[in-house]
Structure formats: structure tokens, C-alpha cells
């Protein structure tokens, strides 16, 4: 998949993941980063269970990336929520 494909998939997946966890978007750049990291994390999770990870620019890859983005956001909030100011 090309760099443009990763950016578009990352933007869509990051936005959907942010909407699921935060109920709001995180901004375009943060959504792209979140979606790309989510695609990598989702690919690792799916590979662990014997399924394929991100296979290209398709619906299956979007689902993998969104699940990964939700996991990344959930972990971020779990770690960040423990800190006291």
C-alpha cells in the first residue's frame, strides 16, 4: 500500500476510533497518526489470533485499523488516567 493509502486509511480509522472512545475527533494530524499506529497494532493483534492484518485499502483493513486504534486509545487513557497532578 502506498504512503497516500496509509495516510487516508489512518485518517479514517483514527477518526472512527476517536469517535468510539472519546466521542469527538482528535484533530486531523492526531487521527492520521492514531490510525496508522492503530493499523500496526491491529495487524499484530489479528496476526496473533491467526488472521491476516492490514491487506490493502479495503473494508477489512479499515476494521483492523479501527480495532487497533480503539485499543491504542484505551491503553493511552488507562495509562494517562493513573497519573495524578
Amino acid at each position: 500500500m502506498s504512503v497516500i493509502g496509509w495516510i487516508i486509511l489512518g485518517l479514517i480509522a483514527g477518526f472512527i476510533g476517536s469517535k468510539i472512545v472519546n466521542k469527538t475527533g482528535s484533530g486531523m494530524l492526531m487521527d492520521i497518526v492514531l490510525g496508522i499506529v492503530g493499523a500496526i497494532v491491529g495487524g499484530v493483534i489479528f496476526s496473533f489470533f491467526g488472521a491476516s492484518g492490514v491487506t490493502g485499502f479495503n473494508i477489512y483493513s479499515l476494521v483492523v485499523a479501527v480495532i487497533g486504534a480503539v485499543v491504542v486509545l484505551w491503553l493511552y487513557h488507562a495509562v494517562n488516567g493513573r497519573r495524578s497532578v
Side-chain angles (χ1 to χ4, degrees):
M1 192 161 59
S2 70
V3 174
I4 302 292
W6 275 103
I7 291 172
I8 293 170
L9 181 71
L11 176 63
I12 296 168
F15 179 75
I16 293 171
S18 293
K19 286 289 193 179
I20 291 171
V21 175
N22 298 338
K23 308 292 187 243
T24 62
S26 299
M28 189 183 326
L29 185 61
M30 188 62 176
D31 283 342
I32 291 171
V33 171
L34 173 64
I36 292 172
V37 172
I40 294 167
V41 170
V44 169
I45 292 171
F46 274 61
S47 295
F48 178 76
F49 289 110
S52 60
V54 176
T55 58
F57 192 75
N58 53 36
I59 297 296
Y60 176 77
S61 296
L62 181 63
V63 170
V64 171
V66 167
I67 290 171
V70 168
V71 169
V72 168
L73 272 172
W74 180 80
L75 288 172
Y76 171 76
H77 288 299
V79 169
N80 197 24
R82 291 184 192 164
R83 296 181 186 168
S84 59
V85 179

